[in-house]
Amino acid sequence: IHIVASSSAGNCVIVNDGVSSIMLDAGLPYRKILKAMPIDIQMVLISHEHQDHSKSAKELLRRGYDVGMSKGTADELDLKGYTRLKSFEQRETGGWLIVPFEVEHDCAEPLGFLIESKTTGGKCVFIVDSAIVDYDFTGVTHYLIECNYAEEILAKSEHKEWLKDRIRGSHFSLDNLKTFLCTSDLSKTEAIYLLHLSDSNSDEKRFINEVQAVTGVPVYTGQRDYNDVLQSRSMV
């Protein structure tokens, strides 16, 4: 799991099974993505049309990459020649099985993704920007999932009330995440990655500690800026 970036400034995650890779979201400038992108990318999956998730989708298509998204997302981005992934339509690519599913966000047709490696048997659930998660997953080895805000932090913030309501109605909170995970089958889960923490309505250390305490699973975050990530890669 390589968290290239995870914030309102841009989102991009790469999952590799030792043979090939899947990119989840492309919300960074193309040159930034290119520096982080391995040569074995099988497909790029775009969760929804907001620019912090889709910024380079058109450029990736233009350069010949296989880019999957919902029809609603493609229509909003005004893309031609896209690879269409409708909700609940699964497909295989390379050594991967990809199952898209609907999520709850304030955009056209947002998706989450369940991806499974046929090489390792690993299963990864990817959910960003969703107010609720109403699914039962089994056998998941890695969760890449939003933990945007804590209600008590948001309530005391200086945001306008309409913005607070928008956040509550379109993003996954710490309490909702803990409830979801505690009612999920975590018997095979090796790691949980908390994504898309709010700059002003979250507490990274607290979120890690609380989620790890209720799940017993190692918890990580992807809060590093993509420039820092690229610099660290260049030093290796």
Side-chain angles (χ1 to χ4, degrees):
I1 307 294
H2 176 205
I3 311 295
V4 182
S6 179
S7 73
S8 58
N11 295 273
C12 181
V13 177
I14 297 171
V15 179
N16 178 276
D17 66 356
V19 176
S20 62
S21 301
I22 298 287
M23 178 177 286
L24 300 162
D25 278 343
L28 305 175
Y30 176 72
R31 289 185 178 181
K32 300 293 186 183
I33 285 180
L34 187 61
K35 290 180 181 179
M37 179 183 286
I39 61 174
D40 57 4
I41 288 287
Q42 289 292 313
M43 178 174 274
V44 180
L45 301 174
I46 305 296
S47 61
H48 62 288
E49 70 267 20
H50 292 162
Q51 283 294 291
D52 58 325
H53 298 266
S54 68
K55 187 179 185 69
S56 291
K58 183 176 290 187
E59 185 66 15
L60 287 164
L61 279 169
R62 190 179 74 81
R63 292 176 180 267
Y65 289 96
D66 197 7
V67 182
M69 66 193 75
S70 70
K71 183 179 185 303
T73 297
D75 288 346
E76 288 295 315
L77 293 174
D78 192 26
L79 297 178
K80 305 295 183 183
Y82 59 85
T83 299
R84 179 172 170 176
L85 274 175
K86 294 176 64 176
S87 303
F88 307 112
E89 177 187 279
Q90 69 181 40
R91 69 173 55 191
E92 296 183 14
T93 179
W96 300 87
L97 173 67
I98 300 170
V99 183
F101 51 88
E102 293 177 335
V103 295
E104 185 70 29
H105 193 51
D106 56 348
C107 54
E109 191 181 3
L111 296 176
F113 299 101
L114 171 65
I115 59 175
E116 180 177 356
S117 167
K118 292 188 173 181
T119 301
T120 65
K123 289 184 179 181
C124 176
V125 165
F126 177 74
I127 302 172
V128 287
D129 287 25
S130 184
I132 59 172
V133 179
D134 193 20
Y135 298 96
D136 292 321
F137 300 101
T138 59
V140 174
T141 55
H142 298 80
Y143 278 96
L144 303 169
I145 191 163
E146 180 179 48
C147 188
N148 185 258
Y149 70 96
E151 174 57 37
E152 59 273 25
I153 300 177
L154 177 63
K156 295 177 181 178
S157 74
E158 297 181 356
H159 294 317
K160 302 286 188 181
E161 286 303 318
W162 67 265
L163 180 55
K164 293 180 182 181
D165 290 340
R166 187 231 167 215
I167 292 170
R168 293 182 180 109
S170 60
H171 289 282
F172 213 34
S173 71
L174 172 64
D175 286 342
N176 285 345
L177 175 61
K178 290 193 296 183
T179 298
F180 165 71
L181 291 173
C182 285
T183 57
S184 297
D185 172 20
L186 301 179
S187 59
K188 294 187 177 180
T189 303
E190 300 172 10
I192 299 167
Y193 291 80
L194 308 183
L195 302 181
H196 217 312
L197 276 68
S198 166
D199 291 338
S200 56
N201 301 312
S202 68
D203 181 329
E204 184 176 3
K205 290 183 178 180
R206 172 192 166 188
F207 285 14
I208 291 173
N209 290 336
E210 290 194 17
V211 174
Q212 194 160 287
V214 298
T215 63
V217 176
V219 177
Y220 309 95
T221 62
Q223 283 305 100
R224 297 171 65 194
D225 178 79
Y226 62 76
N227 287 315
D228 293 337
V229 173
L230 295 177
Q231 182 178 2
S232 67
R233 285 169 62 87
S234 69
M235 295 171 63
V236 175

